[in-house]
């Protein structure tokens, strides 16, 4: 009988909370499992949980799409160093030889993923925004390339696991309520990495809004740099969160915490209003999944109109002033 190959998802826990991207990747792995099914291949979604006293995470993994769970529970993973997390994940990979390994492209994931790839001698597609299965069962992993000016789809046909770190908030988490099974406990030898010990973690306070949760976003581009009070006031009256293109961030008038796009945050609000934003691919990569996109630009050929639901060709300053009169 053919053994069922595994689709691994690294579950990232920070400050006793599971990072949302881990649940999003469980949902992605379930979608991939369905795609494998359509080419007659059976797969199992496995959540890899690593931490200290983290058995409470197991239930959550089944809720959000794990078919089974591997558990590495060790005091050394309470404040894990990159090396400890890598060691634990590599041990799980070497034990089970998964077909696929998905890791959230968070600060931790971006650090761990290449180390794991190098340790198990496979390739890594970093910062992917789309993952699919082709008719031969290979993963098609798509990521921005050449400064974000085009998307490259990458395959890893010769080595396993096929590995990708995935941008947070590109995929949606979903409740699957999978059947509970006792997790498989994996023991890890940390001897080689024991010279490193993290004593404490001090979180830097975030200086901007959590745009990922915003329902309405008013985003401004470089051309709005001298009209920020107008933009901020309009956002306040509309009960919208303020966001920015990198063009505006580069003027130094807005912090990078407000930046939407490939090197900023990915957002999916109900309404995204882009004021004086050209619509470069690197910007739209972070907002084109918004439900309704309203673009205001004085250039009728601006690329932003290519992704907008509603386009207003005109001076954004005049439009915002007119809008304010009605609020
Ligand atoms: C590796 C890499 C990563 C990047 N990551 C990001 C990212 O995460 N996010 C991001 O945004 N960019 C990113 N960029 C930069 C991106 O390529 C663009 O340069 C940037 O988005 C441009 O910002 P902008 O549209 O505000 O400015 P501009 O390109 O200067 O466009 C200004 C727009 O405003 C319009 N305009 C001018 N005056 C008015 C007016 N009065 N009323 C209405 N419209 C007006 C103009 O017609 C123009 O379309 C990245 C680039 C690289 C190379």
């Amino acid at each position: 009988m053919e053994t069922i190959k595994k689709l691994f998802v690294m579950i990232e826990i920070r400050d006793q909370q599971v990072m949302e991207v881990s649940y999003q990747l469980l949902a992605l792995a379930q979608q991939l499992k369905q795609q494998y099914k359509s080419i007659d291949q059976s797969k199992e979604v496995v959540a890899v949980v690593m931490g200290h006293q983290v058995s409470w995470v197991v239930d959550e993994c089944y809720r959000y799409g794990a078919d089974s769970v591997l558990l590495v529970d060790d005091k050394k993973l309470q404040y894990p160093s990159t090396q400890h997390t890598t060691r634990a994940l590599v041990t799980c990979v070497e034990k089970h030889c998964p077909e696929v390994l998905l890791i959230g492209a968070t600060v931790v994931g971006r650090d761990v993923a290449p180390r794991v790839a190098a340790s198990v001698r496979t390739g890594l597609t970093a910062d992917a925004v789309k993952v699919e299965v082709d008719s031969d069962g290979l993963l098609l992993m798509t990521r921005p390339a050449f400064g974000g000016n085009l998307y490259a789809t990458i395959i890893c046909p010769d080595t396993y696991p096929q590995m990708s770190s995935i941008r947070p908030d590109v995929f949606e988490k979903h409740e699957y309520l999978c059947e509970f099974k006792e997790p498989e406990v994996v023991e890890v030898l940390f001897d080689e990495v024991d010279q490193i010990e993290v004593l404490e973690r001090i979180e830097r306070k975030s200086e901007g809004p959590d745009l990922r949760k915003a329902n309405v976003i008013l985003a401004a581009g470089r051309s709005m740099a001298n009209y920020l009070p107008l933009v901020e006031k309009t956002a306040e009256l509309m009960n919208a969160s303020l966001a920015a293109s990198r063009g505006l961030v580069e003027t130094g008038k807005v912090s990078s915490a407000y930046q939407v796009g490939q090197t900023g945050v990915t957002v999916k609000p109900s309404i995204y209003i882009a004021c004086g934003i050209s619509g470069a691919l690197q910007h739209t990569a972070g907002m084109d999944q918004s439900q309704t996109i309203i673009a205001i630009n004085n250039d009728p050929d601006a690329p932003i109109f290519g992704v907008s639901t509603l386009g207003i060709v005109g001076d954004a300053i005049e439009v915002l002033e007119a809008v304010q009169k009605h609020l």
Side-chain angles (χ1 to χ4, degrees):
M1 200 178 78
E2 193 208 352
T3 49
I4 295 177
K5 296 254 175 68
K6 296 176 194 322
L7 313 179
F8 268 23
V9 173
M10 175 180 135
I11 304 299
E12 187 181 333
I13 303 164
R14 216 186 286 172
D15 297 330
Q16 291 300 305
Q17 278 197 328
V18 175
M19 302 292 285
E20 280 290 295
V21 67
S22 303
Y23 296 140
Q24 294 162 5
L25 296 192
L26 285 173
L28 168 63
Q30 281 290 344
Q31 288 166 27
L32 297 176
K33 180 177 146 179
Q34 289 308 317
Q35 292 175 30
Y36 276 116
K37 212 179 216 171
S38 68
I39 53 166
D40 283 335
Q41 294 188 21
S42 299
K43 306 288 174 205
E44 180 186 3
V45 176
V46 180
V48 184
V49 176
M50 300 169 290
H52 180 50
Q53 296 178 334
V54 285
S55 45
W56 58 272
V57 177
V58 173
D59 281 337
E60 293 296 284
C61 291
Y62 286 118
R63 181 170 166 204
Y64 289 110
D67 296 318
S68 66
V69 175
L70 290 185
L71 180 63
V72 184
D73 200 323
D74 194 302
K75 184 143 186 14
K76 288 179 180 155
L77 294 173
Q78 183 167 16
Y79 300 116
S81 71
T82 305
Q83 288 79 356
H84 282 80
T85 307
T86 303
R87 183 76 235 133
L89 193 49
V90 166
T91 304
C92 294
V93 168
E94 286 175 344
K95 189 164 183 214
H96 285 275
C97 305
E99 177 126 348
V100 167
L101 171 56
L102 304 175
I103 295 177
T106 59
V107 175
V108 171
R110 284 184 171 142
D111 202 3
V112 167
R115 292 166 194 265
V116 173
S119 296
V120 300
R121 296 184 176 276
T122 190
L124 168 70
T125 301
D127 235 13
V129 291
K130 188 173 166 196
V131 184
E132 289 172 320
V133 178
D134 78 358
S135 53
D136 295 322
L138 278 176
L139 272 202
L140 304 174
M141 300 169 279
T142 303
R143 56 152 296 156
F146 293 102
N149 289 310
L150 55 84
Y151 285 102
T153 297
I154 295 166
I155 54 170
C156 180
D158 300 322
T159 54
Y160 289 90
Q162 300 169 84
M163 257 187 88
S164 190
S165 60
I166 316 273
R167 284 199 68 144
D169 301 315
V170 172
F171 297 94
E172 305 239 345
K173 77 173 178 188
H174 185 74
E175 270 196 344
Y176 286 89
L177 304 175
C178 299
E179 185 194 341
F180 180 88
K181 292 180 215 119
E182 278 304 321
E184 177 187 330
V185 176
V186 179
E187 299 295 337
V188 177
L189 282 175
F190 288 109
D191 300 8
E192 285 169 26
V193 290
D194 259 355
Q195 64 272 36
I196 295 157
E197 188 184 352
V198 178
L199 301 176
E200 193 187 1
R201 280 188 63 233
I202 301 167
E203 196 86 9
R204 194 176 74 171
K205 283 262 173 289
S206 136
E207 38 172 323
D210 191 353
L211 289 172
R212 284 167 301 189
K213 294 196 180 125
N215 190 36
V216 180
I217 289 178
L218 182 63
R222 194 193 316 266
S223 50
M224 298 291 108
N226 293 329
Y227 301 92
L228 281 181
L230 171 69
V231 179
E232 282 163 350
K233 184 73 191 161
T234 315
E236 191 190 320
L237 291 171
M238 293 173 76
N239 209 8
S241 298
L242 184 70
S245 70
R246 181 151 132 184
L248 179 56
V249 170
E250 279 169 353
T251 66
K253 298 201 171 167
V254 171
S255 125
S256 60
Y258 291 82
Q259 184 179 314
V260 168
Q262 186 191 323
T263 43
V265 284
T266 302
V267 296
K268 292 180 197 163
S270 304
I271 304 174
Y272 188 93
I273 306 166
C275 300
I277 294 180
S278 58
L281 203 58
Q282 296 92 346
H283 184 79
T284 56
M287 47 65 81
D288 61 1
Q289 300 297 313
S290 305
Q291 272 173 40
T292 300
I293 298 171
I294 302 170
I296 311 165
N297 198 302
N298 60 8
D299 174 4
D301 296 323
I304 192 72
F305 292 126
V307 296
S308 64
T309 326
L310 175 71
I312 301 171
V313 179
D315 184 343
I317 298 139
E318 284 177 16
V319 174
L320 291 187
E321 282 170 350
V323 167
Q324 271 201 19
K325 287 188 187 142
H326 294 275
L327 294 171

